[in-house]
Amino acid sequence: MKLLVVLSLVVAACYGSVVRQQRRFPDDFLFGTATAAYQIEGGWDADGKGESIWDYMVHNTPDVIRGKTNGDIAGDTYNNYKRDVEMMRELGLDAYRFSMAWSRILPTGMANEVNPAGIEFYNNYIDEMLKYNIQPLVTLYHWDLPQKLQELGGFTNPLFSDWFEDYARVVFENFGDRVKMFITFNEPREICFEGYGSTTKAPRLNSTAVGTYICAKNLVVAHAKAYRLYDQEFRAKQGGQCGITISVNWFGPATETPEDEVAAELRRQGEWGIYAHPIFSAEGGFPKELSDKIAENSAKQGYAKSRLPEFTEEEKAFVRGTSDFFGVNHYTAFMVSANDGKTSFPVPSLQDDMDNISFADDDWLKSASAWLTLAPNSIYKALSHLRTLYNDPIFYLTENGWSTYEGRDLIDDDRIEYYRASMESMLNCLDDGINLKGYMAWSLLDNFEWMEGYIERFGLYEVDFEDPARKRTPRKSAFVYKNIIKNRFVDYEYEPETMTMTIDEGH
Ligand code: GBH
């Protein structure tokens, strides 16, 4: 007996991390990385591609981008896609999430004119992944609307959902034989609030009180049309899935006072509830507290109707239940307080409708991005909340990642700390029985970080944007992620022996 105790003590001492190591990811858990067309492809007008709202904005108002750079060439994946797939093999990825550029496939946005070179590019890219058993996850829309459609009002045109459905049909028809997971939209909040409601994304409409809300409604209807199209005309023969990705950072109350609880709830509804509730809730439509508040404010402000365009019962039923999974982009958390009257927002505005303030804890590790800190266990907090609210959906984390500054060396220990913390938080989800099926790290490689240009870097691989060949070099975090994928647990002792990548057998 005594011997046994001593023995097990010795074993425990030798394997200090044994407890953590027992927590494994299942073999069928999908590990991948994510990117978006405008951020990596380049070839902005190559071979018949049409102009997108990002092409238009960076060429006409270059000052809006830090360093006045643009995505004209970016990582030049248009010419380097084979190298990108080689990197996926080096990492041993199960899956890869990327987006298609609408204007590369349909140069004017409308389905009357399909660009064969665009179809060919995505065919080659997909086939290259499939050769090595890497499952492609395709996002149809990651922010690069064809400029011609913007000139017709973009997401605020009531016909927007038809244009999107027509585009989706072209994508399903051409690629659905090989792509089994489609994501309609990436981050409705960033499309609608940042693009239409502020000036931090194209098309910079700054119509926070009205544009944001029209966009929200048209976007979820467009999503539902694409989903129903897939369901009715493609699913039986193609056998895949269709869903949406919403950015869900965690917004918890700063204190336990009822005021802060209410503030946090309104904030969650304004951040992601207005996009998620119509699709994932049992009753459908916009979340009640926020929509009541907007209606009340609109009346006070002299509008004839609520600034939030409500759904008809028929529309509610059409949109409800139209996602095979809940794609979550999650990066961080904020604490929310009721507005103490010291902060004033423009009236009318979404910010005024939510009327609260938020902040990160000073102790949380800071990245190169002002909004991004390492908040403890925030994946678990976000997913367990969503799970209760929306009846236990299947989740994929479709983005999660960390930024460092341009020019930093390849030893990115802070990114490694972040990724390891994310793994622990996901394991907490799995322990709790949350239906989390996969994780896409943002990002495979450094890319054009929208308004931040090339200053904030999210890549597991560093990219030399001065080099015409856009050489890619693995950071230390790439080796650590590779090790996690291979082992299906987090080995805290692991250190790469060299900084040279190889492709393991079977990849
Ligand atoms: C994702 O958005 C995007 O899908 C991806 O394309 C992007 O590269 C990645 O994150 C990293 O940023 O400047 O203070 O107004 C994440 C959500 C929302 C984070 C907008 C940055 C800007 C806040 N993003 N936010 S601010």
Side-chain angles (χ1 to χ4, degrees), residues 261-277:
E261 299 273 1
V262 168
E265 179 54 32
L266 266 188
R267 180 63 180 265
R268 293 190 289 261
Q269 293 185 5
E271 286 282 328
W272 42 260
I274 47 173
Y275 315 103
H277 208 83

Side-chain angles (χ1 to χ4, degrees), residues 167-181:
Y167 163 54
R169 183 189 302 278
V170 174
V171 171
F172 299 152
E173 266 169 9
N174 280 282
F175 309 111
D177 57 335
R178 287 151 296 153
V179 174
K180 300 303 164 193
M181 208 162 142

Side-chain angles (χ1 to χ4, degrees), residues 294-312:
I294 300 168
E296 185 192 315
N297 286 351
S298 302
K300 270 195 257 168
Q301 292 153 357
Y303 289 90
K305 279 192 183 141
S306 175
R307 288 179 277 104
L308 181 67
E310 285 295 344
F311 291 96
T312 62

Side-chain angles (χ1 to χ4, degrees), residues 34-36 39 97 142-143 186-187 189-190 193-194 198-201 245 247-249 271 329-332 334 369-372 398-403 442-443 447-452 456 458:
T35 56
Q39 296 180 273
R97 171 178 179 240
H142 199 127
W143 308 355
N186 179 70
E187 298 189 348
R189 174 198 173 273
E190 282 60 30
F193 174 63
E194 298 208 25
S198 80
T199 57
T200 56
K201 296 279 177 318
T245 278
S247 51
V248 183
N249 288 322
E271 286 282 328
N329 285 357
H330 176 93
Y331 285 85
T332 191
F334 298 92
S369 310
W371 54 277
L372 176 55
T398 44
E399 280 181 34
N400 178 255
W402 186 255
S403 62
W442 183 273
S443 181
N447 54 55
F448 180 71
E449 177 54 16
W450 309 110
M451 296 313 209
E452 310 306 326
E456 297 175 9
F458 279 86

Side-chain angles (χ1 to χ4, degrees), residues 23 25 330 375-381 383 397 419-430 434 436:
R23 303 212 305 167
F25 291 94
H330 176 93
N377 205 19
S378 63
I379 293 177
Y380 175 78
K381 289 174 189 162
L383 294 194
L397 276 173
Y419 276 124
R420 285 178 171 162
S422 290
M423 298 299 141
E424 292 301 335
S425 199
M426 286 199 288
L427 288 164
N428 293 341
C429 294
L430 296 177
I434 292 175
L436 173 59

